[in-house]
Amino acid sequence: MESRPEYDAVVVGGGPAGSTAAYLLGKSGHRVALLEKQTYPRVKVCGGCLSQKSVRFLDRVFHLPIPTLRREGLLDFTGTGYVLYIGSSRILAEDLVEPLYFTRRDRYDAHLARMAAEAGAEVHTGVEVVRVDHVHRTVTTSDGEQYAARVLIGADGVHSRVRRSFPEKIVRPKRWHGNLGWALELAIPRKEAETLANGNGPIDLDANLAKPHLILAACRWGYGWVFPNSEAIVVGLGGLLQKNGKGLRDLFEEFLKTIGFSAFADRRPAGFMVPLGNYIPSPAHEGTVLIGDAGGFAGPILGEGIFYAHRTAELAAHAVERHLTCAAPLAETYTTLLRHRLIPELRAERVLRDFVYGCLDARMQVPLAAFMRATNTRVIDAVQGSRSFRGFWRDDDLHSAVW
Ligand SMILES: Cc1cc2nc3c(=O)[nH]c(=O)nc-3n(C[C@H](O)[C@H](O)[C@H](O)COP(=O)(O)OP(=O)(O)OC[C@H]3O[C@@H](n4cnc5c(N)ncnc54)[C@H](O)[C@@H]3O)c2cc1C
């Protein structure tokens, strides 16, 4: 077995979480290896929706303001409005003060990994980690190579092998599985979708297929979506696995009919797990920390995970930096940062999730519609990051840079 020289940090997984951690630690002059089992550009099943808190993060941390994102081909589509349905009832169709952007994950992830490499991280692709030794702080790859580091960072997504090497008392499997989502997604070429839009379903998609549509009650404890891309329309359905089980596949077909796309029912959607409120409150063990989907960090209502992947990576990189330079205890520093900066927000969003989806379970669609109409700007502000979910009902902290 070949053994490599010790790194300051080995990051397992090169999605938005792993690339952010590698970029930040590389920039600080640390010796970092990023191990990604696929090669770029690689496919990640994802709607690619970037809220304002994500684009602000890209500007603040990667120095990628909107014009640069556009120039680099990282913004595929700009959504300037949105449409919300509960079942087949149109509840809201509004313009957005600040847009939602849509990216293509193959380009997005490849670009950020490249930036990590430019910042000094060694990016090794086609390298799959198969074993983690927390005590000796090593990972072993499927080729039998061993990488040793002072710190290990698990950024290997929702099926994380690094997380699976953690003790159960940290992961709490029952809580994890109870809040784990499953989603199906199909990208329909825009030209084909345009010829069929508003065909024969009870839901009327906007005529130009230019606005993101969210459809509550398309499944239990989740929602359906129709997201615009320049060359495709991305149709998806996702919800808690425990509430929908294998029924989601049939519901997806039903959903295609509802939006007038039954002609595409013979195309096979891609499926992938998504965290929906199963964040691990203290995702650290020995010298290893978990970030992004590996730690269950995504918004409990919508499953928005790109921002949380970036943000947990930033907090973890800060903790690692403190650990490497001033011997601050790694696990304590990271979990304290999470506890102060992130977990209260996710907890508050989960309370709102339980209320919204609980109302749908109780068939309280009419009062829920009234609630959604009354609070829509608050919800949008919270998703966009200009209001916190914790301060949902308050107006005094609006635009006080929640993230
Ligand atoms: C259908 C669907 C739609 C979604 N839509 C949105 C959306 O519109 N907006 C949004 O913000 N979020 C969305 N999400 C969530 C978002 O995709 C994830 O939260 C995000 O990708 C998490 O980033 P990550 O870096 O933690 O993990 P990933 O992006 O999953 O990256 C993990 C990486 O680790 C690699 N890896 C895995 N195992 C190993 C190993 N053993 N060794 C080495 N490498 C390994 C993988 O190849 C992968 O590249 C969606 C998710 C799904 C399933």
Side-chain angles (χ1 to χ4, degrees):
M1 185 180 290
E2 192 184 323
S3 197
R4 291 166 170 271
E6 185 173 277
Y7 291 89
D8 290 322
V10 164
V11 183
V12 183
S19 290
T20 304
Y23 168 80
L24 287 172
L25 291 168
K27 231 171 51 149
S28 307
H30 297 294
R31 185 147 196 257
V32 185
L34 172 69
L35 311 182
E36 165 55 48
K37 74 175 175 187
Q38 301 189 57
T39 48
Y40 301 107
R42 62 105 174 82
V43 172
K44 162 72 177 82
V45 183
C46 183
C49 181
L50 297 175
S51 65
Q52 286 290 322
K53 56 187 187 297
S54 295
V55 290
R56 281 204 295 272
F57 186 96
L58 293 169
D59 190 0
R60 177 171 65 80
V61 174
F62 283 98
H63 310 295
L64 290 170
I66 298 287
T68 312
L69 291 172
R70 281 197 201 288
R71 202 177 54 242
E72 298 291 344
L74 299 179
L75 298 182
D76 183 71
F77 202 89
T78 304
T80 53
Y82 71 100
V83 182
L84 177 75
Y85 276 83
I86 298 182
S88 53
S89 308
R90 185 179 275 233
I91 305 300
L92 290 162
E94 304 283 323
D95 289 336
L96 287 162
V97 177
E98 296 177 292
L100 290 167
Y101 295 100
F102 294 87
T103 189
R104 287 192 37 184
R105 287 292 301 273
D106 51 351
R107 292 187 196 152
Y108 188 82
D109 291 25
H111 190 90
L112 296 185
R114 200 159 50 244
M115 287 187 72
E118 284 163 9
E122 287 178 22
V123 177
H124 301 258
T125 56
V127 173
E128 181 177 5
V129 167
V130 293
R131 203 164 51 245
V132 182
D133 179 339
H134 298 283
V135 176
H136 298 101
R137 300 187 187 187
T138 59
V139 296
T140 308
T141 71
S142 55
D143 298 334
E145 279 200 80
Q146 212 170 62
Y147 292 75
R150 292 169 68 191
V151 171
L152 302 176
I153 300 179
D156 47 345
V158 69
H159 299 290
S160 172
R161 193 175 281 270
V162 179
R163 183 189 63 251
R164 281 184 275 143
S165 68
F166 268 47
E168 285 199 351
K169 68 173 192 302
I170 294 179
V171 177
R172 291 157 61 192
K174 203 164 155 220
R175 183 179 180 279
W176 175 269
H177 291 291
N179 291 284
L180 184 62
W182 187 41
L184 293 168
E185 204 172 70
L186 181 66
I188 301 170
R190 178 173 270 279
K191 282 207 170 77
E192 289 183 58
E194 277 170 353
T195 58
L196 279 174
N198 297 330
N200 50 8
I203 287 184
D204 260 349
L205 300 176
D206 106 272
N208 304 320
L209 295 176
K211 287 184 182 158
H213 289 58
L214 300 185
I215 297 97
L216 295 177
C219 65
R220 290 188 65 205
W221 290 67
Y223 64 102
W225 62 91
V226 182
F227 284 172
N229 280 9
S230 59
E231 300 295 327
I233 300 301
V234 178
V235 177
L237 183 68
L240 287 185
L241 192 56
Q242 272 196 358
K243 304 275 185 188
N244 295 284
K246 295 206 169 86
L248 204 64
R249 185 70 187 79
D250 292 337
L251 286 174
F252 187 77
E253 243 177 71
E254 199 49 45
F255 181 55
L256 287 177
K257 267 192 219 152
T258 317
I259 57 175
F261 282 169
S262 50
F264 305 111
D266 58 345
R267 301 201 188 163
R268 206 180 154 74
F272 213 78
M273 299 294 180
V274 60
L276 279 175
N278 50 346
Y279 54 88
I280 301 170
S282 302
H285 175 57
E286 305 274 355
T288 310
V289 295
L290 299 173
I291 59 178
D293 273 14
F297 293 103
I301 299 178
L302 299 176
E304 179 195 3
I306 297 172
F307 169 75
Y308 294 92
H310 287 311
R311 181 69 173 139
T312 50
E314 184 187 25
L315 297 179
H318 185 72
V320 170
E321 168 76 15
R322 297 275 318 276
H323 177 68
L324 295 174
T325 54
C326 351
L330 176 69
E332 204 181 311
T333 310
Y334 180 44
T335 56
T336 303
L337 284 169
L338 286 175
R339 201 165 58 243
H340 287 289
R341 306 279 174 91
L342 205 71
I343 304 263
E345 215 16 43
L346 288 171
R347 199 180 293 129
E349 189 178 336
R350 213 167 77 171
V351 170
L352 188 60
R353 177 201 78 173
D354 291 354
F355 171 75
V356 169
Y357 294 131
C359 282
L360 292 173
D361 265 3
R363 298 188 184 283
M364 291 167 58
Q365 308 213 346
V366 174
L368 181 63
F371 173 82
M372 298 300 254
R373 287 196 184 100
T375 59
N376 76 357
T377 50
R378 287 175 192 273
V379 174
I380 295 292
D381 283 348
V383 169
Q384 299 279 40
S386 51
R387 168 194 299 279
S388 70
F389 278 101
R390 265 184 306 165
F392 192 71
W393 295 110
R394 292 203 321 261
D395 287 332
D396 51 343
D397 75 339
L398 191 58
H399 299 296
S400 63
V402 173
W403 301 106

